[in-house]
Structure formats: structure tokens, C-alpha cells
Amino acid sequence: QKEVEQNSGPLSVPEGAIASLNCTYSDRGSQSFFWYRQYSGKSPELIMFIYSNGDKEDGRFTAQLNKASQYVSLLIRDSQPSDSATYLCAVGPMDTGRRALTFGSGTRLQVQP
Amino acid sequence: GAVVSQHPSRVICKSGTSVKIECRSLDFQATTMFWYRQFPKQSLMLMATSNEGSKATYEQGVEKDKFLINHASLTLSTLTVTSAHPEDSSFYICSARDRGSGYTFGSGTRLTVV
């Protein structure tokens, strides 16, 4: 069983729609949860992180965490063609940063103009 | 925001030669640097964790004698791919925990071994 699972996609949504990206993880000890966006041939860039159950909003992005279900999601409102990329879910510990994140395989999002 | 500078961005080398990749944290001290490798259409796979002033910790299946990691200062970590072969061709990325709560990534190095 993979530690962090994501649907590889592609997830195709029309411009202006809401894109919903999902992620499940197996380690109940995980304390920190991250969403990264990666364009082809580029390095991942942080979209947002979440530590507590519930929702966290930042602009057009909302991260949702449910630790009981070991589930984290990312909603992108008013999707734009520039949002087309691979979205990586990552989980990690709540510590001083001496342990690496564990990444899912990513979901490819295509926003159709 | 926190920046990790990674060089070179792209390198082509001949089989059997060695390549050094550098990662510098520009505005923060990175006591720990993580090195990842990413093959096409696959996720990031952790290769090793380097801690300033001590030996790196390698993930299972990663040859420490082939992928030499040096973390001599709080702002610099290097990965040397020794005796590179075509199967080592990949996208190598470093990452460090920044002053906030995120992990900042370098821009990546595309290595092609011919």
C-alpha cells in the first residue's frame, strides 16, 4: 500500500469551474499536510499547508483535512488554464524539519479554456 | 520568501564521469537538506537526508558511494553523482525546511548521461 495516494488523472475541468483534488494517507502519525503544484520540467512550488482538521482558505484555494478519515483535499475555485499542472500531496511530521515529506504520485489537472 | 538556489539547472555528461549539484539556502540556515529524484511522470522519491556537519542518511536502495552528499555549512549542500550512467539520468531536486512551515525546493537539475 502506498503511503500517500492520489488519483493520477488527468482531471479535466472547464475554465471557471471548481477543481477538486483528493489525497489519502496511511500513516496516522502524520501531522503536517502540504499541497504543491508542479509544472512540467519544473520544481514543485508550495500552494498551501494545513495542520488541523477542517478547512483552510487562501485566495482561490481551500485545503480540507480529515485526520479521522486520513484524507486531505484541495479545492481550486474559478479554475484558470494557468492552473493546469500536476498537484502533489505531501504529508510529514510536526517536527523541526529533520524528516522529509512523503509525496503522492500527483494528480494532473487540465483546465479547458 | 525563503529561497533555495540550485545549480546547475541542466547538465549533460558522458557516461563514467561525475557531476556535482549544489544547493544553497539564500536567506535562511538549512540545518537539514533533502535530496529527491524524479523520473518522468513519477513522483518525487527521497534519496537522502543531509544534516550539517554529519553524515547523510540514505534511503533504502540508494547507493551512498555513488551519490555522495556533503553538507559542510548551514547554507550549502552538494550531491555528487559519481561514475554516472544513462540510468542515472533524472531530475534531481533539493529541499529544505524554511523559516515558515513549508519546505522550499530548489529549481531542480536535469541530468542527462550520454
Side-chain angles (χ1 to χ4, degrees):
Chain A
Q1 180 187 3
K2 291 183 180 178
E3 294 185 48
V4 180
E5 294 216 38
Q6 295 181 255
N7 188 317
S8 62
L11 172 66
S12 185
V13 301
E15 184 174 356
I18 296 175
S20 178
L21 304 162
N22 305 313
C23 172
T24 58
Y25 59 95
S26 60
D27 184 0
R28 286 194 171 273
S30 300
Q31 296 290 328
S32 54
F33 306 87
F34 301 80
W35 282 101
Y36 286 85
R37 176 173 61 195
Q38 186 177 27
Y39 293 108
S40 181
K42 301 295 184 182
S43 186
E45 53 182 333
L46 180 67
I47 297 175
M48 61 192 306
F49 57 86
I50 185 168
Y51 294 152
S52 304
N53 278 328
D55 295 359
K56 179 181 179 182
E57 186 175 320
D58 184 0
R60 295 187 296 114
F61 300 96
T62 299
Q64 299 173 318
L65 174 62
N66 184 325
K67 289 186 180 180
S69 301
Q70 296 176 244
Y71 174 92
V72 59
S73 66
L74 179 70
L75 299 178
I76 306 174
R77 289 181 297 281
D78 188 24
S79 296
Q80 301 297 309
S82 58
D83 294 327
S84 298
T86 296
Y87 289 79
L88 301 171
C89 171
V91 302
M94 184 79 79
D95 65 3
T96 56
R98 286 187 173 266
R99 287 192 289 163
L101 298 178
T102 300
F103 284 85
S105 55
T107 298
R108 190 157 63 92
L109 173 65
Q110 294 178 341
V111 181
Q112 306 295 336
Chain B
V3 176
V4 174
S5 176
Q6 182 171 348
H7 294 281
S9 59
R10 189 178 297 266
V11 59
I12 301 173
C13 70
K14 291 184 177 181
S15 186
T17 61
S18 296
V19 173
K20 179 184 282 189
I21 301 169
E22 288 190 351
C23 274
R24 293 181 183 272
S25 56
L26 297 186
D27 52 357
F28 68 101
Q29 294 181 332
T31 54
T32 303
M33 192 77 77
F34 307 102
W35 287 93
Y36 294 87
R37 179 169 53 184
Q38 186 178 36
F39 292 106
K41 298 190 185 302
Q42 295 186 24
S43 190
L44 283 74
M45 297 301 297
L46 181 67
M47 298 176 65
T49 301
S50 75
N51 295 298
E52 185 267 336
S54 63
K55 290 184 178 180
T57 302
Y58 290 81
E59 296 300 301
Q60 189 174 7
V62 178
E63 302 174 56
K64 62 180 181 181
D65 294 330
K66 181 172 184 61
F67 299 99
L68 300 180
I69 290 174
N70 185 286
H71 196 152
S73 77
L74 288 172
T75 58
L76 175 64
S77 178
T78 61
L79 167 67
T80 301
V81 183
T82 63
S83 186
H85 289 96
E87 58 266 31
D88 299 323
S89 299
S90 187
F91 192 49
Y92 292 85
I93 314 173
C94 61
S95 173
R97 186 73 176 262
D98 57 41
R99 291 170 301 196
S101 298
Y103 289 69
T104 298
F105 284 84
S107 54
T109 298
R110 175 75 58 192
L111 171 64
T112 303
V113 185
V114 298

